[in-house]
Structures are given as structure tokens and as C-alpha cells.
Amino acid sequence: MEGGSPHDHSDWDAVVSAARERARARQALMVERHGLAGDVRYHWSLDDARITWSRAGRDFLTGRLTMIGSVSASRGTWLWAWAHPSLPAAVLGDIERVRRFGEANDFPVLPWPGFDADPELVAEARLVAASVLDAEGLWADSTDEARLHFAIHDLRPVTETLF
């Protein structure tokens, strides 16, 4: 980890524990309610901050994405989305709330632009971010360069338009 003020680990542990339970329940509900298990495909876009799931070639669910952060494959470091200069504004959503929450509560990991990507710390950071952002769920995907972490919001069925 990089420099910063030490935080009260019991406070951090309590926030992480509550965020973990909240995310576990919401993730299970999201998967069950929307049928996201089994043979489901998805595609997402940073430019319009959307994710859409399909089955058998038909889109059935869409939602808004907020990029939380990413882990660099080559450097093994976490970078918060709010600290990433080349991300489209749409996918940043309210990610600044996470940084401000960290500052207000003296949790250094949240307002630091980046840190060594210890898997446990990355999991904790993304769980707390999902809680602060009131996300319906979490999603992750990998590119050649990075593992991208997202919060999912505003899920709704895709309705077909007949012309």
C-alpha cells in the first residue's frame, strides 16, 4: 500500500463485513431474479456505460455500469476508475462518492488513486464501493491488459420494438 493516514481497522472491518453481506444478498437476488445463470452471454460498453445479457442470440436484460476500478495484468496494481484519465465520463457514474466516503471516514484505500493489487484488498475495495454506490450487483471482466470491475445499476428487461 502507498502512504496515507492509518485507519481504524475495526471500523474498516465493520464496513467491509456489512458491504460483503449486502453484496452477497444482492448478487444472489440479481442472478436468480433475472436468470443470469447458465448459458448466458453478455456485452458491455464503456462509452455508453451499459451491459446487456443475451440467451440464444436474444437480448433479455440491460443495466447501467459504473466502473469501479481495474487491476493491471502487467503491474499487479489497482487503479480506481476516478483516477483513470482516459475513461469515458459515462462509465464513471458516481464513483467520486467512493473517494469522498474514504476521505470522510479516514479509510485511506478508498481515496488513494491506486495500490498494490492484493486480492483481498481489491475484493474489500470493490465491495465497499458497491455498497457506497448502492449497486444492484457487481460484474468483472478481463482484457489482455487488465481485470475490470463494475457496479451494476438500473437493471431492466430488454423489450423488443416492433416496426
Side-chain angles (χ1 to χ4, degrees), residues 23-128:
R24 185 176 294 139
R26 284 191 170 204
Q27 196 78 14
L29 182 62
M30 181 181 77
V31 169
E32 181 182 335
R33 178 182 289 162
H34 299 291
L36 296 178
D39 187 24
V40 176
R41 297 189 183 276
Y42 62 92
H43 62 275
W44 50 266
S45 167
L46 295 179
D47 292 328
D48 64 1
R50 302 296 306 167
I51 185 167
T52 302
W53 288 270
S54 62
R55 182 177 286 113
R58 298 181 86 92
D59 293 348
F60 68 92
L61 183 69
T62 189
R64 180 174 55 87
L65 292 175
T66 298
M67 187 161 171
I68 297 171
S70 59
V71 174
S72 167
S74 62
R75 292 185 297 277
T77 55
W78 170 267
L79 180 64
W80 285 102
W82 57 261
H84 199 298
S86 65
L87 288 174
V91 80
L92 295 176
D94 291 332
I95 194 65
E96 275 288 329
R97 285 178 38 208
V98 176
R99 184 187 58 75
R100 290 190 307 268
F101 177 79
E103 289 173 344
N105 292 284
D106 200 24
F107 296 139
V109 169
L110 302 179
W112 293 346
F115 52 86
D116 288 340
D118 172 74
E120 184 176 332
L121 190 55
V122 167
E124 290 175 353
R126 68 189 288 255
L127 288 168
V128 171

